[in-house]
Amino acid sequence: MFIPQASDWEASIVAAITEELDQLKYLIEDESGSTEKGDIHAQISRVCGLTDLAQNDAVPFAASARLQIRELNEMAMGMIRNTLDLTPVSDEPLQSFEREAAQGLFDAIALNIPQLAQGEARKYAIALSTNAFEELREYMGEHPDFEMMEQLVLVQDYRVMKLAGDNR
């Protein structure tokens, strides 16, 4: 079976994942006392965010690149299983339906980032109520793309949104 070689953009993603994995290993092995559990959790989120790309069939990875990313993911998961107590940062149990809703909203916004980033040229915007955005932040705030997304989404008080009405 012929497996085509990865392109430059695929090799760049694999290289970025490898760098993030090296950073995770550094944080796990750090004995200086300056690394906090939250630092490690954030790094795990970055690694997982990148390796999750291999699970998305819409991203046109060559089979070889997809395999490399999955292998890097397995390395990360093995490292995590062998060295960490992965209790949640928060003691409150997360309700799965709220997390799933936040993930769905996050994914919908992420798919529109190219249009949102073009601002006035595309006249494309997404507005969320302050409450909706805070729930999104609660569940997705540690995602590596959240900070960029935060800059592109209009956040308004619900009462202001209601006063503005339907402007179609």
Side-chain angles (χ1 to χ4, degrees), residues 64-80:
S64 60
R66 201 172 297 275
L67 180 63
Q68 281 181 299
I69 293 171
R70 286 183 177 145
E71 287 173 351
L72 289 169
N73 183 56
E74 282 304 311
M75 288 173 57
M77 293 302 108
M79 190 183 312
I80 293 164

Side-chain angles (χ1 to χ4, degrees), residues 140-157:
M140 302 304 298
E142 296 214 3
H143 191 281
D145 294 334
F146 186 83
E147 194 171 319
M148 175 181 52
M149 184 181 295
E150 186 174 27
Q151 302 302 315
L152 297 172
V153 174
L154 175 65
V155 179
Q156 291 283 336
D157 184 287

Side-chain angles (χ1 to χ4, degrees), residues 118-160:
Q118 294 179 31
E120 274 302 307
R122 291 292 299 253
K123 296 191 184 328
Y124 195 89
I126 293 178
L128 293 175
S129 69
T130 306
N131 290 355
F133 190 77
E134 286 309 312
E135 284 189 19
L136 182 64
R137 179 191 311 275
E138 178 182 340
Y139 294 107
M140 302 304 298
E142 296 214 3
H143 191 281
D145 294 334
F146 186 83
E147 194 171 319
M148 175 181 52
M149 184 181 295
E150 186 174 27
Q151 302 302 315
L152 297 172
V153 174
L154 175 65
V155 179
Q156 291 283 336
D157 184 287
Y158 178 76
R159 294 169 294 184
V160 173

Side-chain angles (χ1 to χ4, degrees), residues 12-81:
S12 295
I13 290 174
V14 169
I17 294 169
T18 303
E19 287 177 21
E20 294 295 337
L21 190 59
D22 290 343
Q23 179 64 19
L24 177 60
K25 182 178 180 184
Y26 168 80
L27 291 172
I28 289 171
E29 294 175 352
D30 181 29
E31 295 178 3
S32 70
S34 63
T35 299
E36 297 178 8
K37 192 178 250 188
D39 298 329
I40 296 172
H41 282 271
Q43 188 63 28
I44 290 169
S45 292
R46 282 191 283 281
V47 171
C48 291
L50 289 168
T51 60
D52 283 351
L53 291 171
Q55 304 302 319
N56 186 342
D57 292 332
V59 180
F61 282 115
S64 60
R66 201 172 297 275
L67 180 63
Q68 281 181 299
I69 293 171
R70 286 183 177 145
E71 287 173 351
L72 289 169
N73 183 56
E74 282 304 311
M75 288 173 57
M77 293 302 108
M79 190 183 312
I80 293 164
R81 281 189 297 269

